[in-house]
Amino acid sequence: MLFGAVLGSFVIGMGSQEPATQAPAVNLEFEADEDGTVTITHDGGEALERAEIEIRTPGTVGEWPGPELYAGEEITVTGLESGDEITVVWHSPDGDGAAVIAVYDVE
């Protein structure tokens, strides 16, 4: 299965009165196999800074290819079952906010 997730617009404020830095505009593709592995591919847009990204999942997140994830690069999540969810969250570098940039439900 191949599913795309486009930059989400759900923003969580962290109590600051000033506007938070904008989340990166990025397209992420999710591809699941029958062994419980999901490959997340950066399919275009801005680079993702490893220090600003949290991948929430009950599975195990693989190694990043470097300090940033660029278009065409990928990360795998293993140990997933049907019904599990992967949520990719961006945290602003100044700590003023966060945004969910992608959600994927494993089928």
Side-chain angles (χ1 to χ4, degrees), residues 2-5 27-31 38-43 104:
L2 182 65
F3 291 92
N27 294 325
L28 298 175
E29 292 284 332
F30 295 80
E31 186 174 1
V38 172
T39 301
I40 305 170
T41 303
H42 186 306
D43 195 41
Y104 176 75

Side-chain angles (χ1 to χ4, degrees), residues 25-26 33 63 74 85-86:
V26 64
D33 69 18
E63 293 294 319
E74 57 190 38
E85 182 177 272
I86 299 171

